[in-house]
Amino acid sequence: WRKRMFRRFFHVNICVRDMERSIRFYRDLGFTKVADFILGGGNPGIGQALGLDAKKLRGVFMRLGDDPNAPVLDLVQFIDPPPQGQPYATLNNIGICRIAFIVDDIDKTNQALLANGVDIVAPLQRYAGPKGTTIGVMCFKDPDGTVLEVMSDEIESWIR
């Protein structure tokens, strides 16, 4: 069991209500669409694979940067049946609560998000970290309310 079974991290999945709106939002954040596909329709196995009574969905893989081995953001819009529910109301729920990204300039990113009317969870904060670093952190929501986080690149020193 403890033997290495996983080869690499592939994707994070976000269920969306309106695929075109979400593509525009994530494209504005710097993501590039690398695949767009429909699963289901004539393939009854997609629901079984997901443990749902899902007959059809649209998926879009989006990637940051040019590395073909980099993980992708997998946006999924359920078509049959349609998406339901809401993202977690608070970040202290069990399960995946947010997705974090490193940015080169946290202040510039903060200003761009504010200028574009993005729903900010809390204002930009700065925290003292190891090795004399100061980390900038802020959380915001995508169009469906999924919480995303941006962190200044100094965070990388925490794991080196």
Side-chain angles (χ1 to χ4, degrees), residues 72-94:
V72 293
L73 187 62
D74 178 5
L75 304 179
V76 64
Q77 181 178 358
F78 285 86
I79 299 167
D80 183 15
Q84 61 182 354
Q86 299 295 323
Y88 289 140
T90 64
L91 290 178
N92 61 341
N93 283 294
I94 301 300

Side-chain angles (χ1 to χ4, degrees), residues 3-92:
K3 190 169 139 183
R4 181 177 170 217
M5 295 183 287
F6 301 140
R7 187 164 51 100
R8 71 180 180 96
F9 188 80
F10 179 60
H11 74 78
V12 172
N13 192 232
I14 299 177
C15 185
V16 302
R17 289 188 198 288
D18 179 332
M19 184 62 82
E20 295 308 318
R21 176 182 70 175
S22 293
I23 289 169
R24 284 189 305 274
F25 179 83
Y26 286 97
R27 189 173 284 149
D28 287 347
L29 295 179
F31 286 82
T32 302
K33 182 167 67 169
V34 294
D36 191 336
F37 51 91
I38 300 288
L39 295 177
N43 182 358
I46 188 60
Q48 293 171 338
L50 299 175
L52 298 170
D53 185 23
K55 296 173 185 67
K56 187 175 181 182
L57 62 84
R58 178 180 177 196
V60 170
F61 290 163
M62 300 190 82
R63 180 179 289 130
L64 282 172
D66 299 325
D67 180 354
N69 293 315
V72 293
L73 187 62
D74 178 5
L75 304 179
V76 64
Q77 181 178 358
F78 285 86
I79 299 167
D80 183 15
Q84 61 182 354
Q86 299 295 323
Y88 289 140
T90 64
L91 290 178
N92 61 341

